[in-house]
């Protein structure tokens, strides 16, 4: 693995999942692997889990970390080749990425979606520049349209709790007071289908995700019907393609205990942070079948499995 930015970068998914679960059992087993190496973590938006779990993962492998909130503390970046930089932009992306590569052996980048222009977000401008300009491996800490470290942690969690080889997994849209990216939902669909799970996606009409991510899944607009026989229910808000970035509030889609009772005693999943009693009720989030803290815990070992694979390949 040179970079880790999507499922396409993973040679053997099951092996990577098992590596993460094995590291969870013995986190310091490879404490010497990253000795003398530095992981740079560059953030363009807020983060709790990704920022701290990836630092912890690096420390478990003996790596040092450098962390920078680029949106507040960095220079304003220019992306156009050949630009005459006599306006607001202060540093060209290609200079910034190459300098970062002098300080770091691996760079993690959280670029996030702008949520103003769907086409621009799907071009992954920031992540693509990092991949193209960097001489050191790039790890996505969530890009405009994917969140692969979250998805790896989610698949590790399902593997730990599944009771049959092909569980029915339902990805259900939820209301939210702010517009959110499609990244978590896209990635979860991509990885769940990659793992061979029986995936149903349910959402109001007009909130379809890209077929690039959902081909192979069942789309069911009736949420209650979708929940029947579910083994895992993953709840997440995402923005629509049409009217991209608009806020859609439909409280009928909040996940409740009554809806969870329609399932096959399903486990509840969410990547966190979660808007309580909007996305799901307190009772659902705190139910014994809720896996949200397990997912957050697995973020460390997912990141550790990815960093270990990259370090071993160097
Ligand atoms: N799930 C997740 O990525 O959380 P943070 O945004 O806090 O990193």
């Amino acid at each position: 693995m040179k970079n880790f930015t999507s499922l396409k970068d993973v040679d053997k998914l099951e092996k990577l999942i098992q590596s993460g679960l094995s590291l969870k059992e013995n986190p310091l087993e490879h404490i010497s692997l990253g000795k003398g190496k530095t992981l740079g973590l560059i953030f363009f938006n807020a983060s709790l889990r990704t920022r701290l779990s990836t630092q912890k993962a690096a420390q478990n492998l003996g790596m040092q970390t450098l962390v920078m909130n680029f949106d507040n503390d960095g220079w304003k970046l220019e992306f156009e080749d050949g630009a005459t930089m006599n306006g607001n932009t202060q540093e060209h992306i290609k200079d910034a990425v190459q300098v970062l590569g002098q300080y770091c052996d691996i760079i993690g980048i959280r670029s996030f979606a702008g949520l103003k222009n769907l086409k621009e977000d799907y071009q992954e401008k920031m992540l693509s520049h990092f991949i193209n300009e960097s001489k050191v491996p790039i790890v996505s800490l969530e890009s405009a349209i994917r969140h692969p470290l979250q998805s790896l942690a989610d698949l590790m969690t399902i593997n730990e709790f599944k009771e049959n080889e092909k569980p029915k997994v339902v990805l259900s849209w939820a209301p939210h007071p702010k517009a959110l990216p499609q990244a978590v939902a896209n990635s979860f669909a991509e990885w769940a289908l990659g793992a061979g799970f029986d995936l149903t996606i349910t959402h109001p009409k007009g909130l379809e995700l890209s077929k690039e991510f959902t081909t192979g899944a069942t789309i069911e607009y009736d949420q209650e019907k979708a929940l029947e026989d579910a083994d895992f229910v993953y709840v997440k808000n995402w923005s629509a393609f049409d009217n991209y970035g608009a806020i859609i509030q439909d409280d009928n889609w909040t996940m409740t205990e009554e809806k969870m009772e329609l399932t096959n005693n399903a486990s509840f999943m969410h990547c966190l942070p979660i808007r309580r009693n909007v996305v799901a009720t307190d009772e659902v989030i705190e139910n014994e079948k809720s896996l949200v803290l397990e997912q957050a815990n697995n973020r460390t070992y997912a990141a550790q499995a990815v960093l270990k694979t990259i370090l071993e390949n160097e």
Side-chain angles (χ1 to χ4, degrees):
M1 191 193 295
K2 162 89 168 71
N3 299 313
F4 179 78
T5 62
S6 87
L7 184 61
K8 295 183 190 78
D9 293 321
V10 178
D11 283 339
K12 291 188 176 120
L13 176 55
E14 185 56 30
K15 192 173 163 202
L16 190 63
I17 291 169
Q18 292 308 325
S19 169
L21 293 173
S22 163
L23 288 162
K24 187 176 183 178
E25 293 296 313
N26 194 355
L28 302 182
E29 187 180 356
H30 304 279
I31 187 75
S32 302
L33 183 64
K35 192 168 177 228
K37 305 270 186 184
T38 300
L39 172 68
L41 297 172
I42 307 300
F43 286 86
F44 284 86
N45 81 319
S47 165
L48 188 164
R49 279 143 291 272
T50 307
R51 181 179 175 130
L52 298 186
S53 65
T54 313
Q55 283 188 73
K56 187 169 175 198
Q59 286 168 13
N60 286 348
L61 294 168
M63 298 183 84
Q64 303 290 319
T65 56
L66 295 173
V67 187
M68 183 170 179
N69 293 327
F70 211 95
D71 52 345
N72 292 328
D73 300 338
W75 302 111
K76 188 160 174 49
L77 292 173
E78 174 62 55
F79 291 89
E80 293 303 320
D81 261 341
T84 301
M85 291 171 54
N86 58 0
N88 287 334
T89 57
Q90 296 156 309
E91 175 153 34
H92 203 284
I93 181 82
K94 59 185 166 189
D95 298 326
V97 174
Q98 289 183 76
V99 170
L100 285 166
Q102 292 175 321
Y103 307 151
C104 306
D105 300 282
I106 302 173
I107 299 172
I109 160 78
R110 175 176 269 200
S111 48
F112 224 60
L115 289 169
K116 291 191 170 60
N117 183 322
L118 180 91
K119 202 169 153 204
E120 264 183 27
D121 280 347
Y122 271 72
Q123 283 169 348
E124 294 271 39
K125 186 169 73 169
M126 183 77 79
L127 181 64
S128 301
H129 276 279
F130 268 80
I131 292 169
N132 293 337
E133 305 293 349
S134 178
K135 293 186 175 62
V136 303
I138 298 295
V139 173
S140 169
L141 306 174
E142 185 172 357
S143 69
I145 62 166
R146 285 185 173 89
H147 196 349
L149 282 177
Q150 180 67 54
S151 302
L152 177 55
D154 295 338
L155 261 59
M156 285 168 55
T157 310
I158 292 176
N159 260 265
E160 288 179 295
F161 287 88
K162 70 181 182 184
E163 289 175 3
N164 61 66
E165 268 318 294
K166 198 168 179 182
K168 178 175 175 183
V169 180
V170 175
L171 171 61
S172 181
W173 182 87
H176 200 278
K178 290 200 164 182
L180 293 186
Q182 298 166 344
V184 170
N186 283 345
S187 259
F188 183 74
E190 184 172 50
W191 287 64
L193 291 167
F197 297 153
D198 172 9
L199 179 67
T200 296
I201 305 176
T202 184
H203 52 75
K205 281 193 177 160
L207 279 153
E208 289 76 10
L209 294 165
S210 165
K211 285 197 169 58
E212 178 185 352
F213 296 102
T214 62
T215 300
T218 303
I219 310 299
E220 172 57 66
Y221 297 113
D222 182 336
Q223 188 190 34
E224 294 194 355
K225 195 167 167 203
L227 291 171
E228 285 170 13
D229 302 323
D231 298 303
F232 295 87
V233 176
Y234 199 110
V235 178
K236 186 73 185 81
N237 171 270
W238 62 82
S239 288
F241 263 92
D242 297 330
N243 217 354
Y244 186 59
I247 295 165
I248 300 170
Q249 275 282 27
D250 185 345
D251 295 344
N252 293 322
W253 283 76
T254 301
M255 191 53 61
T256 61
E257 274 191 315
E258 292 72 31
K259 288 182 190 171
M260 290 298 288
E261 277 168 17
L262 301 171
T263 68
N264 180 30
N265 194 24
S267 296
F268 170 77
M269 300 182 74
H270 188 280
C271 61
L272 302 184
I274 188 166
R275 298 274 186 148
R276 282 171 172 252
N277 303 308
V278 176
V279 172
T281 62
D282 284 333
E283 292 75 24
V284 171
I285 298 164
E286 292 170 13
N287 190 282
E288 63 180 12
K289 294 294 289 185
S290 172
L291 298 180
V292 296
L293 295 179
E294 303 288 346
Q295 291 169 261
N297 189 30
N298 281 336
R299 290 295 307 272
T300 297
Y301 310 107
Q304 201 172 329
V306 167
L307 294 174
K308 176 174 171 282
T309 306
I310 291 173
L311 288 169
E312 286 172 342
N313 285 355
E314 280 191 329

